[in-house]
Amino acid sequence: MTLALILLSVLILGSAIVALSLRNLIHSALLLVACWAGIAAFYLWAGAEFVAFAQGLVYVGAISMVVLFAVLLTRQGTASEPLGFASWQRFILALVAGGGVAGILVGAVLGTPLTVTTPGPVPVLTVKQIGAQLMGPHVVALLVVGILLTVSLLGAVVLAAEENVKSPEDEV
Amino acid sequence: MSPLQLCLLLSSLLFCVGLVAAMARSNAILVLLGVELMLNAANINFIAFWRYGPNPEAGTGVLFVLFSIAVAAAEAAVGLALVIAVYRHQKTIRLASINRLKG
Amino acid sequence: MHLPVSLVWLIPALPLLAAGIAALAPRSCRTLAAGAAIAAMIAAFVISCLALHTALADPGAKLVANFEWFDVGAGAMRLGWLLDPLTAFMCVMVTFVASLIFIFSTGYMKADANFKQFFCFLSLFAAAMLGILVANSLLLLFICWELVGLASYLLIGFWFHKPSAAAAAKKAFITTRIGDLGLLLGLLWLADSTGSLLFYDGGNGVLEVAALGSLASQVTVGGLAVSTAIGLLIFCGAVGKSGQFPLHVWLPDAMEGPTPVSALIHAATMVAAGVFLIARVYPLMSADLALPLVPLHALTVVAFIGAITALLGATIAVAQNDIKRVLAFSTVSQLGYMMLALGVGSWVAAIFHLLTHAFFKALLFLGAGSVIHAAHHEQDIRRLGGLRGRMRITFATFAIGMMALSGVPFLFSGFWSKEAILHAAHGWQVSHLPFGAALVAVVLTAFYMTRLVAETFFGTARTEETEHAHENSAVMTVPLILLAVGAVALGFLGTPAFPWLQARLLGEPEVHGHPLFESAGLMMLSIVLVAVGLGAGWAIYGRRPRVALDAVDPLAKAAPGVIAALGNRLGFDELYAATLGRLVTAGATVADFFDRYVWGGAVTMLARLGEFAGVVNRENDESAINGGFNVVSESFRDSGRAYSRAQSGEPQSYLRFIATGFVVLMLLVILGGGR
C-alpha cells in the first residue's frame, strides 16, 4: 500500500517538476496530463472512485485540451530567446521563496502529532450516497456551482471573442 | 511514517512545485498551470483527511473536492480566455511585458 | 342612402389614415403608398356624394354634430362637424379633383425617389383641406388651416435640393402666416366676445342671429362695428391663403413644387380655402350691412381687394413666359373674381366660380404638367411650341380648359360662373369701379390664355426636347379627359335659366324662368370683350407664330418698359424687399447697436470688475494658502512615489512577497512558541 503511494508520489512530483521546467509548452502540457492522471490514480488508491473519474474527465479530458488550444493559439516564433539574467534572477528568487514554503510545510507535517495513526478499512462511499449528499444538504452549493460554470463559460466566450466582429456578409 | 503523513508530504511538495512554477516561469500559460497544480495539491489534502479522518461516512471531503474541481474548471476556462485576449492585444503572453498597471 | 352628420369626419379621416400608412410604410412600398392614397380619396369621394345627397334633402338646414374636446375651467371647449350644401358641394369637388390629381401623380412622379413621401404629403394636404370643409368650429377650421399651410410647405419644397424650391416653400409659409396671424386674432376676439367658436349650435353659434346681433351692435375703434373688425381680421387669413393683393407674392413662387402639387394648390385645396372661409362666415361678414351709419363695411373691403387682385393678376400674366407662372397669375386673378363676388354680396356666385374654376384650373395645370413631363421639364413657353400635333389629347383638353377660363360663351362652365359674378358686380350699389376692373380683366384673361396656347401648341418646335415630345400614358391623359368633361358640364348647373346650384346653396326654392334676358345686354358685352381678347391674342401670337428661339415678343417690341415691368411682376417682390426687408434690417441694426454698445458695454464692465476681483483673489491664494498646501502635498507625493516602487506590475513578484511573508509568519509562530 505504502509502496504504491510512494511510487505514485514520485510519478506525480516528477512529471510536475519536469513539466513546469521544460521550455517546450506542448511537451509540458502533455507531461501535465500524466501528472493529473497520477493524481487521479492517487484518488483511486485512496478509495474515492467518483472523484478519480471526475479528475480524469475534467483535468485529463477537458482542461488539458483547453491548455493545448491556448498554447497553439498563442504560439510565438519557434526561436526561443536565450534565458536572460532577469529570468535566472527570478528563478533563483522563486526557488528560495518556494523552498522556504516547502521547508515550513514539510516541517509542519512531520512535526505535528496526528491522532489517527492506525489506517482503518477503506471507507465505502457509493455514487448514490454522493448524489444524495449533493441534492440534499449541499444543494445550494450545487446550484451556485452551476451558475458559476455558466457565467464563466459566457465570460470565457466574451473574453476570447474577436472584438471588432465583421458583419456576416463580409466574412463570406 | 504513516500513510497520512506521506499524503500530506506529497501535497506539500506538489504545492511548492506549483508555487515555484507560478513564480519563476515567464509564460502566462505555465503560470496558470502552476496555479492549477496548487489547487490539485489542496484536493489531495482533502482526500487524505477524508480517508484517514474520523468520520469518512459523511463524505464531506469528497464533496469538497468535487466542488473544487468544478471551480478549477471554471478558473481554467476564464484564465485561458484571458490569456488569449491579452495575447490578441499585446501580441505576447510574457508576464514581464504585461505591466501596464505598473505604479 | 343618407350619411348621418356624425359620420362626416370620415371624409377627412380617410386621407389622413392613408397619409399615416404612407408615412409608416418602408421607402420601397411605392404601390402601397399610392394605392392607399388613391383608394382613400376615392372612398372619401363616395362618402362625399352620400353627404351631398343628405344635404340636398333639406338644403336650408345646417346639420351639426358637436362634441366636447376638453374642459376649460367652468366651460368646455367644443368642436363639431357641419354638413350643409356648401360643405357637401366643396367636398365632392375636392375629393373628385384630388383623386384625379393623385392618379395623374402616379405617372408624373414615377421616376422620383421620394415617391412614397410625396403621396404621404398629398394625402395630408387633402385631409387638412377636407377638415376645413367639414369643421363646425372656427378653432377646428384654424387647426386644419394651419395643417394646410404645413402640407403646402412640405410639398412646395418637395424638391428641397433646389434652392429656389426651398426658398419658395419658406416664402409661401411665411407669407400665409402673416394672414394667419390676422385670422388668429379674429378668432380670439370672436371667442372673447361671444364665448363660443362653433358656427352653428342650436341658436348659440357665432353665425346665428343672436350672436350676430350683439356683435354688430357693439362699436369699437374708429366707429367700426365689432363684427366688421372681426370680419376684416378673418379676411386677412383669407387674403394670405387665397393669394389676394397684397399677399399674392407667394402664389407664383409656389410653382417650384411638382406640377400635381400646383394643380392641387390652385384648384382644390389651398387657395380655395380662403374663399370658402369667407363664404362660411358670410353671415358674420355681412352682419354690418344692416347698419347704414358705420364708416366701413367689411364686404366693401373684400370687393375692392378682389377687384384689384383680379386686374393685377390678369395684367401680370400677360408678360410671363413660364407656362406655370401664367397659370399661377391667372389663378390670382380668378381668386380676385371670387373675392369680388363675395364682396358684392353674391357668395353663391363665388362658390359657383370656385367649383368651375377648380375643374378647369386643375385641367390646365395637369395639362401643363403633361407638357412639361413630355418636354423633359421645359417650362418656358418660348422654348416649347408646335405640340399640337404630337400631343393631341393634351392639346384638346388644354384648349377646353383655356376656353373655359377665358369665358368662351355658352358651352363652357367658366362663362356661366363669370357671368354670374359680373352680373352681381354690376348690381352693386356702392361703386362701379370693381365692375370696370372685372371687365378689363375679362379681356386680358382671354388675351393671355390665347397667347399661352398659341406659343405652346402652335408654330414649330423650337428646341430639341420639344421636337421629341410625345403623348403621355393613360394614367396622365384619362384624368385630363375627365376634368375636361367636368369643365364643360359643370356650367350647366348654374345657368341663369336654371340656377339649380345657386338655389341649393342658398337653401331656397329655385326660381324657374329666371329672367335670362334681363341680363342679356351685360352678357352681350362680356361676349364681345372675350372676343376682343381672343382676337387680339390670335392676331398677335397665333397668326404669325414665333419661329426663332430668341425672337422678341411682339408686345415687348411695342412697349418694352411696360412689359419688362410686368415680367418683373410689377416689382412687388422688390418692393417688399425694399420696404419691409429694409425695415427689418434697420430694426436689426438698431438692436445690434444696442446689443453691442449699450448692453455689451455694461456686461463688459461687469466682467472687468469680476476679473479684477479674481486677480486679487488669486494673488492671495497663491502666496498664502497654496504655500501651505504645497508642502503637505509634496510630502504625500514623495511617500506615494516610494510605495509605488513596490507596485512593479509583475504579478510574480507579488506572489514572491506573499510566499516570503508566509514563511516569515510561520517562522515567527514556530519560533515564538506557538502562542
Side-chain angles (χ1 to χ4, degrees):
Chain A
M1 279 300 282
T2 314
L3 185 67
L5 180 56
I6 292 171
L7 283 177
L8 272 177
S9 303
V10 170
L11 170 67
I12 293 168
L13 287 175
S15 58
I17 290 168
V18 176
L20 297 180
S21 57
L22 281 177
R23 303 207 67 197
N24 187 322
L25 280 177
I26 302 276
H27 290 176
S28 41
L30 291 174
L31 269 172
L32 269 175
V33 171
C35 171
W36 284 327
I39 293 171
F42 166 78
Y43 293 152
L44 271 181
W45 173 86
E49 288 94 353
F50 190 71
V51 178
F53 292 135
Q55 173 85 9
L57 276 176
V58 174
Y59 278 97
V60 181
I63 294 184
S64 62
M65 286 301 118
V66 178
V67 170
L68 279 173
F69 270 110
V71 168
L72 292 174
L73 283 175
T74 61
R75 198 124 78 138
Q76 286 157 317
T78 47
S80 53
E81 67 263 51
L83 292 173
F85 171 72
S87 295
W88 283 111
Q89 185 197 27
R90 200 170 55 230
F91 181 66
I92 304 285
L93 285 175
L95 218 52
V96 170
V101 173
I104 292 287
L105 286 179
V106 170
V109 167
L110 293 180
T112 307
L114 292 160
T115 48
V116 184
T117 45
T118 51
V122 176
V124 177
L125 194 65
T126 62
V127 177
K128 190 178 175 186
Q129 279 170 309
I130 295 174
Q133 288 277 328
L134 279 177
M135 299 305 291
H138 302 288
V139 68
V140 176
L142 185 69
L143 291 174
V144 171
V145 163
I147 294 169
L148 173 75
L149 285 173
T150 313
V151 170
S152 65
L153 174 69
L154 292 176
V157 169
V158 170
L159 279 175
E162 198 77 48
E163 264 164 30
N164 43 0
V165 183
K166 295 182 182 75
S167 54
E169 300 97 76
D170 297 342
E171 289 180 358
V172 176
Chain B
M1 197 187 278
S2 68
L4 177 57
Q5 273 179 322
L6 267 179
C7 292
L8 295 183
L9 278 179
L10 168 62
S11 82
S12 302
L13 290 176
L14 193 59
F15 183 87
C16 289
V17 169
L19 183 63
V20 170
M23 285 191 291
R25 296 306 303 258
S26 63
N27 190 306
I29 294 179
L30 279 175
V31 172
L32 263 178
L33 292 177
V35 175
E36 287 289 334
L37 275 188
M38 286 151 81
L39 259 173
N40 269 307
N43 288 351
I44 287 175
N45 256 9
F46 279 121
I47 292 295
F49 279 113
W50 166 75
R51 173 70 176 78
Y52 298 105
N55 199 4
E57 294 82 26
T60 319
V62 170
L63 289 170
F64 217 118
V65 170
L66 286 176
F67 287 127
S68 167
I69 288 176
V71 173
E75 177 245 324
V78 175
L80 289 169
L82 273 172
V83 167
I84 290 174
V86 166
Y87 177 72
R88 187 175 301 129
H89 284 282
Q90 312 266 331
K91 292 290 164 219
T92 180
I93 49 173
R94 284 176 53 83
L95 283 178
S97 326
I98 308 167
N99 56 359
R100 287 179 58 188
L101 293 181
K102 181 178 174 179
Chain C
M1 196 171 152
H2 286 288
L3 180 79
V5 65
S6 52
L7 288 181
V8 165
W9 57 269
L10 275 175
I11 298 174
L14 285 172
L16 193 64
L17 182 72
I21 291 173
L24 294 179
R27 200 183 170 80
S28 55
C29 287
R30 300 159 72 94
T31 320
L32 174 71
I38 293 170
M41 197 42 72
I42 290 173
F45 173 66
V46 172
I47 297 174
S48 300
C49 288
L50 288 178
L52 181 63
H53 183 55
T54 311
L56 291 185
D58 183 7
K62 307 281 183 191
L63 304 172
V64 295
N66 297 326
F67 56 91
E68 241 173 55
W69 188 20
F70 56 78
D71 289 320
V72 210
M77 180 54 73
R78 297 172 73 211
L79 301 178
W81 316 114
L82 171 62
L83 181 56
D84 65 354
L86 174 62
T87 294
F89 275 119
M90 289 291 292
C91 280
V92 171
M93 181 276 284
V94 169
T95 50
F96 181 75
V97 173
S99 302
L100 293 180
I101 292 173
F102 283 18
I103 293 168
F104 183 88
S105 303
T106 57
Y108 190 83
M109 299 298 285
K110 196 164 52 188
D112 200 284
N114 295 324
F115 189 82
K116 187 208 87 171
Q117 280 98 314
F118 186 71
F119 276 91
C120 172
F121 296 159
L122 275 188
S123 293
L124 179 67
F125 201 14
M129 180 63 196
L130 292 167
I132 290 179
L133 300 181
V134 301
N136 184 32
S137 151
L138 194 56
L139 182 64
L140 185 57
L141 191 147
F142 185 71
I143 294 170
C144 297
W145 185 270
E146 292 299 335
L147 274 178
V148 166
L150 168 70
S152 71
Y153 174 77
L154 293 172
L155 283 170
I156 294 171
F158 189 72
W159 287 326
F160 53 84
H161 47 82
K162 282 200 301 188
S164 58
K170 216 159 55 187
K171 188 171 176 182
F173 195 68
I174 293 171
T175 312
T176 53
R177 280 299 308 169
I178 295 172
D180 293 351
L181 184 65
L183 176 56
L184 180 61
L185 288 176
L187 182 150
L188 293 174
W189 195 346
L190 191 62
D192 183 49
S193 44
T194 64
S196 170
L197 283 172
L198 291 174
F199 293 141
Y200 298 99
D201 186 20
N204 298 321
V206 295
L207 297 186
E208 289 173 295
V209 183
L212 291 179
S214 83
L215 283 177
S217 60
Q218 295 166 38
V219 173
T220 177
V221 283
L224 289 177
V226 171
S227 72
T228 313
I230 294 176
L232 287 177
L233 284 172
I234 292 177
F235 181 59
C236 285
V239 166
K241 271 283 188 286
S242 286
Q244 297 296 296
F245 172 84
L247 296 182
H248 65 274
V249 286
W250 67 270
L251 199 50
D253 284 22
M255 297 299 103
E256 292 292 342
T259 306
V261 174
S262 307
L264 204 54
I265 287 178
H266 284 254
T269 55
M270 191 153 166
V271 297
V275 177
F276 172 80
L277 174 67
I278 300 302
R280 170 59 76 210
V281 299
Y282 193 74
L284 178 70
M285 303 293 292
S286 57
D288 55 8
L289 290 182
L291 315 167
L293 291 178
V294 294
L296 182 68
H297 293 299
L299 287 177
T300 310
V301 177
V302 176
F304 274 99
I305 293 281
I308 293 171
T309 312
L311 187 57
L312 190 78
T315 318
I316 297 177
V318 170
Q320 296 299 314
N321 285 321
D322 183 320
I323 182 168
K324 283 171 75 179
R325 275 184 200 273
V326 174
L327 293 175
F329 278 104
S330 85
T331 305
V332 171
S333 162
Q334 299 300 310
L335 288 165
Y337 270 112
M338 294 172 210
M339 285 296 176
L340 172 62
L342 286 166
V344 299
S346 177
W347 67 271
V348 286
I351 294 300
F352 182 32
H353 196 56
L354 178 58
L355 293 174
T356 56
H357 173 259
F359 276 84
F360 58 69
K361 189 48 66 68
L363 169 62
L364 286 170
F365 264 111
L366 294 188
S370 177
V371 167
I372 293 167
H373 193 66
H376 301 279
H377 291 266
E378 182 53 66
Q379 304 191 3
D380 191 332
I381 53 173
R382 288 169 298 189
R383 299 169 64 84
L384 293 165
L387 290 172
R388 180 177 40 142
R390 277 187 289 279
M391 302 179 71
R392 288 185 182 284
I393 299 175
T394 304
F395 168 66
T397 52
F398 197 89
I400 290 173
M402 165 260 178
M403 284 189 272
L405 178 60
S406 310
V408 170
F410 303 126
L411 191 56
F412 299 100
S413 60
F415 171 73
W416 298 112
S417 54
K418 188 176 286 183
E419 208 54 43
I421 292 175
L422 289 176
H423 185 71
H426 182 61
W428 199 38
Q429 302 297 323
V430 181
S431 164
H432 269 87
L433 285 177
F435 176 63
L439 288 181
V440 176
V442 167
V443 182
L444 290 172
T445 305
F447 177 75
Y448 68 70
M449 285 313 291
T450 314
R451 168 176 180 256
L452 181 62
V453 170
E455 290 268 45
T456 308
F457 289 98
F458 288 84
T460 53
R462 289 184 284 271
T463 60
E464 195 82 351
E465 285 82 18
T466 319
E467 192 90 54
H468 296 123
H470 54 83
E471 189 59 275
N472 289 301
S473 58
V475 273
M476 295 172 76
T477 52
V478 169
L480 290 178
I481 295 168
L482 287 174
L483 284 170
V485 171
V488 171
L490 211 60
F492 297 107
L493 294 177
T495 57
F498 182 62
W500 178 82
L501 183 78
Q502 284 91 328
R504 289 296 179 280
L505 281 173
L506 283 171
E508 292 161 359
E510 68 234 47
V511 190
H512 281 290
H514 184 82
L516 175 62
F517 299 104
E518 185 183 282
S519 55
L522 184 60
M523 204 180 276
M524 286 310 295
L525 174 63
S526 80
I527 291 172
V528 169
L529 290 177
V530 169
V532 167
L534 289 176
W538 183 252
I540 296 178
Y541 293 102
R543 222 153 35 91
R544 286 192 306 278
R546 175 193 292 273
V547 181
L549 198 58
D550 49 358
V552 182
D553 193 285
L555 273 189
K557 215 181 286 174
V562 177
I563 293 299
L566 288 176
N568 201 19
R569 293 174 255 158
L570 286 178
F572 270 102
D573 289 313
E574 287 74 9
L575 180 70
Y576 289 162
T579 54
L580 295 178
R582 285 267 169 76
L583 200 66
V584 171
T585 315
T589 312
V590 171
D592 179 60
F593 174 80
F594 265 85
D595 258 9
R596 208 179 285 260
Y597 297 107
V598 181
W599 306 128
V603 170
T604 313
M605 210 162 76
L606 277 180
R608 285 281 143 74
L609 270 177
E611 221 169 279
F612 178 70
V615 168
V616 171
N617 246 344
R618 190 182 60 194
E619 287 304 321
N620 188 21
D621 264 9
E622 282 186 349
S623 53
I625 301 175
N626 276 11
F629 275 113
N630 279 352
V631 172
V632 177
S633 47
E634 271 304 320
S635 70
F636 275 130
R637 202 184 314 168
D638 287 345
S639 57
R641 200 173 287 138
Y643 284 126
S644 83
R645 220 160 281 142
Q647 193 78 4
S648 65
E650 289 174 42
Q652 288 167 318
S653 73
Y654 307 159
L655 198 55
R656 219 153 48 217
F657 277 117
I658 294 171
T660 318
F662 170 74
V663 172
V664 171
L665 257 180
M666 292 308 287
L667 283 177
L668 277 179
V669 169
I670 293 167
L671 298 180
R675 265 180 301 162

